[in-house]
Amino acid sequence: MTEQVPTADTVTPTGETLNVLHKRFKKAVRQDDRDGYDGILIDPARLVEVATAARDELGYDYLASATAVDYLGKGDHLEMVYHLCRTSGGPALVLKAQTPRENAELPSLTGVWSGADFQEREAWDLMGIRFTGHPNLKRILLWEGFDGHPLRKDWREAYYEADQKPFDSRWPDGHVRRAEQDNPYGKNVRYPDGFVLDEYQSTAEDALYADVALGLDVSADLATERVVVSMGPQHPSTHGVFRMIVTLDGERIEALEPVMGYLHRNHEKIGERNTFLQNMPYTDRLDYICSLSNNLGYALAVERLMSLGSRYEPPTYRAEAIRVLMAELTRIVNHMWAIGFLLNDLGAFFTPMMYAVTERELILDFFEATTGSRMMCNYMRFGGVAHDIPDRMRSEASLINDRVRDENTMEYLHKLINERLPRAIDQFDEYLTTSEIVTNRCIGVGVLSTADAIAASAAGPVLRASGVPYDVRRADPYSIYADLDFDVAVRYHGDVYDRYLIRLDEMRQSIRILKQVWPLLMDTGGQPFFAGRGGIYSPRVPAGESYGRVENPKGELGYYVVSDGGQNPRRYHVRAPSFINLTALEQMCKGHKVADVVAILGSIDIVLGETDR
């Protein structure tokens, strides 16, 4: 089922919104007049009131992203940046609130949008902003005994060498060396002052179980069937690095708390030390099923900053057509993978997954021929793409009887788009959609209502399966999507079954888009695949802020980037759909049985590289 949605033409610009808010809140709101910045600065004491008015009176019902920024040396304050959207469509309204770095504190917006929950916990964990009124403010990506808040500009880790790359000392006189060689073994971790490892007693587990045990003393002998259990991280359905603390009454779920961070490596800290271009391959590692879509969101964010300069040239039409081609093929790769693993989670081990892998491999053959890689493609560039599509797809023989490929690339794409992929999607539909096992295990399970999905900042198939036809490609178009004819897929029951169906719908819409892109590629053959001459590989990005967002297969992927005018970002934040979509997991699981939890988690379709970053 599909539905057309309104686009940006109906949305109130920030200036008019500011006037409306100023009439009511007077000096509590003002325009952010810093060069290269946009949005509205809010007096923290009135933040909840202004946010509520933006939601209820101005229609900004969806909290897309909440980002913390450290302005050490530039005002010496911390800042929270909220991107609010209308599910009816349009660009984001940006609200900001500032707090002193010492004793940083802001009111929580969890009472306005439950989707602020994990995002505020992340800001507390990594930046040290305390949110008054938050119902469960504790670390979310780091362990409870971690020393400090690592995204602050004055935080230093073991082996610290410099704030930004390239590090001068790594290539002295032409000889590479590693900083670790200068540090004694065992000093590669830092503990709080006065910390004694032999005397340490972890409080993390007590805190987790206290939140979900419903007053039960789990250390006592239990004369009841109510019990608290840990699902994961050593559990196949949680991918080895995710955990759920579950309170059970028999086999029925009474409470559930997601526990993450086992794969956290402070992606954003790395991103702020890299140059802008050095971050491109790091985006591949977020949702490692969707590296090309990840590349595109980051490229858009940096290009919007670059457009503030006088020398910026936008990507060519051919470059944009190639980008959309790669993004929509990636959507099909992801959704086939997601459906295959959902069936795995339902107990249909491997067979559906193998059907999905077969078609996925055909797409990855094209990715490899074009980008040089099957998974970590590192292909987008600021101003276009790294290479054009090759004329032919070639392979070399490794063994005596190897089949050697040598095909025309555009003919291969034509067959893939018009024959193989549509047939595979129809095959999935035929085999699975009316299967008694699928319908019994999925219909009515893990229901998320429309209002709850919006409040929880759910995105992608999770949001659209709950009756919200919100898709960034239509709501706030980017690249050449405004020129293409496609519908936003939407379903209305909000259960596991509709989250399965929505992915079938979206793959069919992707085929519809690809059939329009293929002729564009034929018509633009020979045209440049990037804009301008030079500069795209190591740009100096004008000072300012930008938020680049794309409709990734798992939902809205956003990059909030702040530049000081050099080659390195001051702030680099990832709005990860896998992370935020987990906000509603407990709500979807309550009242169901343990076996249903596995299916519900599978229907969200998370990837832990993106969840933990």
Side-chain angles (χ1 to χ4, degrees), residues 273 409 491 592:
R273 289 185 176 166
T409 305
R491 296 275 173 168
H592 290 295

Side-chain angles (χ1 to χ4, degrees), residues 334-335 337-338 462 503 553-554 578 600-607:
N334 180 90
H335 287 350
W337 201 245
V462 176
R503 292 183 173 96
K554 294 175 175 65
S578 293
I600 294 167
L601 179 63
S603 75
I604 297 176
D605 182 25
I606 64 169
V607 67

